[in-house]
Every structure is written in C-alpha cells, then in structure tokens.
Amino acid sequence: MKKTLHLWHHYLGLVVAIPLIIISLTGSILVFKEEFDHWLMPELAVVEGETGKRLSYDELRAELNNQLQGYEIGSWEVFDDGITADRVYVLKHGTSEWFKVYLDQYQGVVRSEPVAVNHYLTDWLLDLHYKFLIGDTGLWVTGVASLILLFMGISGLIIYRQFWKKFFTLRLKVKRIALFSDIHKLVGIWSAPVLLVIGFTGVYWNISEIIHHELEHGEEHQTVITERLYNHQLSLDKMIAESTQQMGGFRPTYLLFPYEPELQVTFFGEVSNTSFVTSEYASMVTFNKQTGERMPNYDIREAPFFLVAVDSFRKLHFGYFAGLPSRVIWCLIGLTPLIFAITGCYLWLKRRRPKKRAMKVAQPI
C-alpha cells in the first residue's frame, strides 16, 4: 500500500509539476497584489484622501456615468482606507465584454480608460493563476492541479507518517541525493498544513465555478448590454443607509448592479462581531432593481456553520486573516512547489540511472 501510494505521489508530482509551479508562484505574488499595484502604478491605484471623506455613492455613480458614456456599471469594489482607489468593472454597450477602471472616490475622477480586466500586470497574473489565460477551460486545469496538490499533501503525510521524528532533520554533510531527500521531506512536513488548506479551498472554488458555468451558462448565452437594466433614479446612499440600519454595523465593500435581466441591486459587505476569518464580502443586502424595495438580506452572523466555513475560504486561501505575518507565511509557502519540483526531479533522475545500468549489465553479450 505504502509503495503504491509512493508511486502515485511520485508520478503525479512529475506530471503536474509545471502547472503547480505556475499556480504557486503567481499565488505568492498575488498575496501582495495591492502593494504591487500601489508600487507599479501609483497614478491609478493610489489616492490621497482622509478616511471617511468619500464622496456620496450617488455623486460617484453620476460621475462614472458621465465620464464613461457608452458603458454600464456592472460591479464596484469599495475602499475607504485613504490610500486605495475604488475599482469599477463596466460593460460596453452593444457587447457582453467587461472592462476595468480606477476611480478616485475622494475627488470623483475616473483615473483610467476602460481596459480589459486582465490588462494590468497583477490582473494578468490573477488570470494566469486562476484560469491559465485560457478562459473557462483553465478552470479544469487549475481544478485538477489543486486536486493533485491536495492528494500529494495527504499522501506525503501518510508516506512519512512518522514525520514528527524528522521535524528538524536536515543532514548537511551527506551526499547530494541524501541532502535533497531531506530537503524534500522537511519542506513537505513544514508546508503540508498550509498547502492542504490552499489546495482544499482551491478545489472547492474551481468545482463550484465549473458547476456554476455548466448549469447557468452551459448554452454560452450572454446578455448584450444595450441599456441600463435598473431604475437609475434609485438612490444608492439611501439603500446603503437602510442596509446599515437593518443589519447593524454593515459596511459595503462590493456593489453589484444588474448586468443580466434576473439580477437585482446587491450590496456585499462586512459586519461587526464576526470571526477573524470572516471575509469582507460575507454579508449581503439586496434591493429590487425597479422599486428599491429591500429584499431578504443575508447576515453571516445568522448563517449555518457550513456557509460560515465556506466564506472563510477566501481569507484562508489568500492568507490575509492575520495581517502581514500570515501573508508572509503564505507567500513563502507558495514557493515550496518549486523546491519540490527541483528536489523531486533530481531524486527521480538519480534513482533511475542505477536501474538503467543494472539492466545493461544484465543484458547478454
């Protein structure tokens, strides 16, 4: 059993090495996506404003509609830290294509022209990390890679089930093959818990996204935007105020507008008195897109355990649940598949050579 598991661990690792390296390296970079955006393009991603001094949502929406004629707002990422610009995703009239702009929420100025959602470097890396730049087909690739990562983490712990005995074992004054073997095992032992979390959450998201696309978009039907699909006279500020009143402590972080006929106006956000792994999009308030009447809201504090656990996947996957320390750890762990690939391939090649030599010796002359 152990030998069979070791073979599966070994060969699956070789097969999926390159995809896992790509996913892991891009993931390590994306842990600090905001910082990279601020550094690479401060003229777009960085604003200068005092926290709490945002313009009203109605004012900002009016400016967006005025400065982006020919486009409709689809979704809107909200920031109020005095540093990060809002990110708004829009659809071009006559198409179903999404574009991205940066909005200075303190001055009411659109900082950029609409560009493809993977136009900027970190957005391109996100697309590479998530879909390998090949659209929905990439979901299957990353899904399989995440599933194999999960298997390798579990199988590695089973193969080296007495791992606690070598928790700090690294022999330096030995042959290279023994050193690489120790490095492979030691890195695997230390990184396994985090890699299992990352692998499991990645598998769940990919499977969920694949099911969503197959069930809801299986016929490749996409709505072409030609006009606003909601009552533009509705006040966003009034709806947000009602959301805060109905769900104490609610703070909007993501606004979703109807870009398909069946969608309503929805605000995602965070509330007080939640777990440290509860995401900033955990709760939701929805309003009728024509009348503005509030529909049943979703408060994460009243949700069943399963949904609370699923919501925690966001912070657990990207590692920002404990601030900078957890992000640094997640970033470093993201580099371990590169170490596994180097050491694993070296061990595989070294162990194959003696077998080949033995076969040549055994051949009759």
Side-chain angles (χ1 to χ4, degrees), residues 298-316:
Y298 176 80
D299 190 334
I300 192 66
R301 295 169 296 191
E302 300 172 358
F305 175 77
F306 171 75
L307 295 178
V308 175
V310 169
D311 174 75
S312 71
F313 289 178
R314 176 176 295 275
K315 284 190 173 181
L316 290 174

Side-chain angles (χ1 to χ4, degrees), residues 228-284:
R228 200 156 297 155
L229 299 180
Y230 69 99
N231 180 2
H232 66 276
Q233 299 295 332
L234 295 176
S235 170
L236 297 179
D237 292 303
K238 182 178 179 181
M239 288 188 283
I240 288 174
E242 185 176 348
S243 302
T244 304
Q245 181 181 3
Q246 291 294 325
M247 196 157 35
F250 179 81
R251 186 180 72 83
T253 57
Y254 189 83
L255 281 55
L256 184 66
F257 295 84
Y259 58 89
E260 292 182 350
E262 65 274 12
L263 296 179
Q264 306 294 335
V265 178
T266 303
F267 303 144
F268 294 84
E270 56 188 4
V271 291
S272 56
N273 301 320
T274 56
S275 167
F276 70 98
V277 291
T278 302
S279 81
E280 61 272 35
Y281 310 109
S283 297
M284 177 177 66

Side-chain angles (χ1 to χ4, degrees), residues 9 15 32 52 66 137 165 175 185 196 202 220 228 273 305 331 340 343 357 362:
H9 180 94
V15 169
F32 293 98
N66 181 53
T137 304
K165 294 181 179 180
K175 291 183 178 181
K185 295 174 185 176
L196 287 173
E220 298 295 329
R228 200 156 297 155
N273 301 320
F305 175 77
C331 179
F340 293 145
T343 56
R357 286 196 293 266

Side-chain angles (χ1 to χ4, degrees), residues 169-180 182-183:
T169 301
L170 180 61
R171 297 168 294 175
L172 298 176
K173 296 180 180 180
V174 292
K175 291 183 178 181
R176 187 176 298 171
I177 188 171
L179 175 62
F180 274 38
D182 282 357
I183 291 174

Side-chain angles (χ1 to χ4, degrees), residues 43-175:
E43 73 283 359
L44 299 179
V46 179
V47 294
E48 295 181 1
E50 297 180 8
T51 303
K53 300 295 183 179
R54 291 174 57 96
L55 295 179
S56 72
Y57 287 95
D58 290 333
E59 289 180 279
L60 291 172
R61 179 181 57 176
E63 289 296 332
L64 283 166
N65 290 333
N66 181 53
Q67 297 178 50
L68 297 173
Q69 295 186 22
Y71 293 86
E72 287 299 329
I73 304 172
S75 60
W76 182 346
E77 286 186 86
V78 176
F79 298 92
D80 197 14
D81 56 4
I83 301 173
T84 307
D86 282 6
R87 296 188 286 260
V88 184
Y89 299 87
V90 297
L91 295 101
K92 188 175 183 178
H93 285 175
T95 74
S96 57
E97 297 178 32
W98 287 84
F99 297 85
K100 177 181 180 178
V101 298
Y102 284 92
L103 171 69
D104 185 334
Q105 64 272 39
Y106 301 99
Q107 303 296 324
V109 177
V110 176
R111 288 283 192 87
S112 62
E113 293 295 323
V115 296
V117 293
N118 62 352
H119 174 79
Y120 301 110
L121 177 60
T122 56
D123 294 325
W124 182 86
L125 289 172
L126 181 61
D127 193 15
L128 178 62
H129 176 82
Y130 185 43
K131 295 183 178 181
F132 278 99
L133 307 177
I134 53 177
D136 294 342
T137 304
L139 288 172
W140 289 93
V141 179
T142 53
V144 171
S146 298
L147 192 60
I148 292 176
L149 175 64
L150 187 62
F151 167 80
M152 291 181 69
I154 296 172
S155 61
L157 291 176
I158 295 174
I159 293 169
Y160 306 110
R161 52 183 173 272
Q162 294 184 327
F163 60 87
W164 61 86
K165 294 181 179 180
K166 297 184 178 181
F167 222 66
F168 302 99
T169 301
L170 180 61
R171 297 168 294 175
L172 298 176
K173 296 180 180 180
V174 292
K175 291 183 178 181

